[in-house]
Amino acid sequence: MTQAMRVTLTQEAPAAHWGKADITFEGNLARIHLQGADVLRQIQMAARKLRSQGIASAALEGEGWDLNRQWVFAQGFVTAKAGWDISWTGDEATQSELASRMEAARFVRQLTNETPENLSPVKLATQAGHWIKELGGDKVSFRIIEGEQLLEEQWIGIHAVGRGSERPPAMLELDYNPLGADAPVSVALVGKGITFDSGGYSLKASEGMLNMKCDMGGAATITGALGLAIKNGLNKRVKLFLCCAENLVSGRAYKLGDILTYKNGVTVEVVNTDAEGRLVLADGLQAASATGAPLIIDAATLTGAAVMAVGGNYNAIFSPDEAVIALTREKARSVAERVWPLPLDPWHKDMCPSAYADTANSRPVKGGGAGGASNAAGFLWRFVRDDAKWLHMDLAGSFEDSAGALWAAGATTHGVLTLAALIKDAD
């Protein structure tokens, strides 16, 4: 096995400058020189540079490696391909937490980076259910509703989006209950699980379709967060709903001009079959609302508009409750992740008007028009119980199309730690 590169941190001035993340080498020792503010970003960039030089094994040592510094190093060091290794440092509690984070991150990366051919909607639901079952044991039960059974149970959106594929759409209903049969549900989670998004009849261009295997990133992220919370001692009842489908073109696919009537009576005109995520999440949010949980959280790679607004280094967050926004920002800061709130007002519910239904699923222009991320959140709000606290996370930073200064290509897992902290600690 190749000898690990020993990696230390220092505040000393470097002997030579190498961009914003300065590294010097002494044999198999690499010193990362921290300068000024934003040291976490410097550490992650340095890790990327080490990895890009072909260094596959790193042993962190010396002073200064707290929990978050080690974690951001790992985020920069890992790649979609196997063959890398990191040795942690610090006390037993720190190393145990890092191992738990890495287990959750590996699950999310493996699922998100999987080819769409190998990850059907039912397989996504099954793998997520079994992974949580492995972590939670007899505290976990789940079922998978698939194909025409979705119609029987009135999960209209998932069925409509997924019916164009030969492989059936599915909803995962999972219950983690460490407290007993009659315990109230404290948190309900919803994840968008579009295992491949062609855009449907609103067909994407090839370059826009290439990485659409990542469109189930919300399902992977929210499942990974629940798994991490369980490993960290979650002691409240949580229900998870994954809304899984392939959005393909066929003679059975849903069409522009179709009108969907949801379980809660809301009618939706389809004006863009590439705005499918909100159609499946509408089912999940209704299921989550029916649990009576005081807190509902959904995660989705929902809009390109969120990426345009906050870039790829943040996830966009939305809630009508300022306290939920404040708590989410606090939790994100505590785990060295980045979130940024975007506008959400009651009138956003009406920003996708229809002459034929209560609402359209988008504005009839590419990308949903100006303010598209907020308009999408407004659409989702129609399906959330009135008295519930609700957080919508639009995962702008969960996937990188190509390698950059901070991340390798593929799933980043950005958002898992924030959501895990919310699940575990929210009242």
Side-chain angles (χ1 to χ4, degrees):
M1 183 175 179
T2 304
Q3 184 180 15
M5 177 65 71
R6 297 157 51 222
V7 185
T8 65
L9 301 176
T10 178
Q11 296 286 347
E12 299 172 3
H17 291 280
W18 192 2
K20 294 181 179 178
D22 292 307
I23 308 171
T24 56
F25 295 91
E26 301 171 17
N28 76 323
L29 174 65
R31 297 183 186 276
I32 300 174
H33 300 271
L34 306 179
Q35 304 174 63
D38 206 4
V39 296
L40 295 178
R41 185 178 178 89
Q42 293 174 45
I43 291 169
Q44 188 167 342
M45 291 174 68
R48 283 294 306 134
K49 289 181 177 180
L50 290 172
R51 192 73 179 91
S52 67
Q53 285 204 340
I55 296 168
S57 184
L60 309 184
E61 61 180 52
E63 300 296 325
W65 285 112
D66 63 17
L67 176 65
N68 285 335
R69 287 182 176 188
Q70 292 189 70
W71 183 247
V72 298
F73 180 92
Q75 292 290 72
F77 198 75
V78 301
T79 57
K81 293 181 180 179
W84 50 266
D85 179 67
I86 302 171
S87 296
W88 309 116
T89 188
D91 60 25
E92 183 177 347
T94 296
Q95 295 197 42
S96 176
E97 170 62 16
L98 288 164
S100 294
R101 288 183 180 188
M102 188 57 76
E103 182 180 349
R106 284 182 188 274
F107 170 82
V108 174
R109 281 194 172 89
Q110 182 177 2
L111 211 57
T112 308
N113 292 336
E114 182 60 274
T115 68
E117 179 61 23
N118 288 340
L119 192 69
S120 68
V122 171
K123 190 172 181 180
L124 170 59
T126 301
Q127 289 193 6
H130 282 300
W131 186 67
I132 296 297
K133 179 72 172 176
E134 288 174 9
L135 296 175
D138 59 7
K139 300 172 185 176
V140 176
S141 60
F142 68 88
R143 73 177 184 127
I144 296 171
I145 310 163
E146 64 177 273
E148 297 306 303
Q149 188 183 355
L150 290 162
L151 279 184
E152 295 172 14
E153 301 193 27
Q154 295 183 276
W155 301 127
I156 301 301
I158 299 172
H159 182 272
V161 171
R163 76 185 191 210
S165 172
E166 294 181 355
R167 303 193 290 187
M171 176 190 276
L172 171 69
E173 292 184 348
L174 183 144
D175 186 1
Y176 171 74
N177 183 9
L179 303 177
D182 297 326
V185 178
S186 296
V187 186
L189 309 173
V190 182
K192 174 187 170 184
I194 302 298
T195 56
F196 185 74
D197 182 18
S198 71
Y201 279 107
S202 303
L203 195 68
K204 295 178 182 287
S206 291
E207 61 270 20
M209 206 185 299
L210 176 61
N211 287 312
M212 281 299 101
K213 63 183 180 182
C214 81
D215 213 18
M216 39 59 64
T221 298
I222 204 82
T223 304
L226 175 57
L228 179 57
I230 290 170
K231 285 187 69 67
N232 286 339
L234 180 65
N235 194 36
K236 62 179 71 169
R237 189 175 185 182
V238 176
K239 288 199 172 185
L240 169 69
F241 302 91
L242 300 187
C243 310
C244 308
E246 287 182 315
N247 185 22
L248 300 181
V249 178
S250 74
R252 297 188 67 246
Y254 77 130
K255 306 167 187 70
L256 287 90
D258 284 350
I259 293 178
L260 308 179
T261 302
Y262 278 87
K263 198 169 190 174
N264 65 353
V266 172
T267 57
V268 178
E269 181 191 5
V270 178
V271 301
N272 184 350
T273 61
D274 197 20
E276 84 297 329
R278 63 199 73 181
L279 295 177
V280 302
L281 287 174
D283 284 336
L285 289 169
Q286 289 176 94
S289 293
T291 68
L295 176 63
I296 296 171
I297 303 171
D298 77 81
T301 51
L302 199 63
T303 66
V307 181
M308 294 296 292
V310 302
N313 293 325
Y314 287 80
N315 288 318
I317 55 173
F318 303 81
S319 180
D321 189 323
E322 289 295 331
V324 171
I325 292 291
L327 180 62
T328 306
R329 297 185 74 177
E330 174 192 326
K331 294 301 180 185
R333 281 192 296 269
S334 72
V335 294
E337 291 187 337
R338 295 179 177 90
V339 297
W340 198 260
L342 292 181
L344 181 61
D345 288 293
W347 49 264
H348 280 112
K349 294 180 182 180
D350 302 317
M351 290 303 290
C352 298
S354 167
Y356 307 100
D358 295 328
T359 184
N361 73 320
S362 180
R363 300 183 75 178
V365 292
K366 182 65 176 176
S374 294
N375 297 341
F379 176 93
L380 296 179
W381 196 356
R382 290 174 172 268
F383 300 93
V384 178
R385 197 180 73 249
D386 288 341
D387 64 338
K389 295 181 179 179
W390 168 54
L391 174 74
H392 164 53
M393 182 176 285
D394 197 330
L395 294 168
S398 69
F399 192 88
E400 290 289 324
D401 291 343
S402 57
L406 290 171
W407 310 95
T412 67
T413 76
H414 191 195
V416 170
L417 303 189
T418 300
L419 293 172
L422 278 172
I423 293 166
K424 187 170 183 294
D425 298 335
D427 293 331

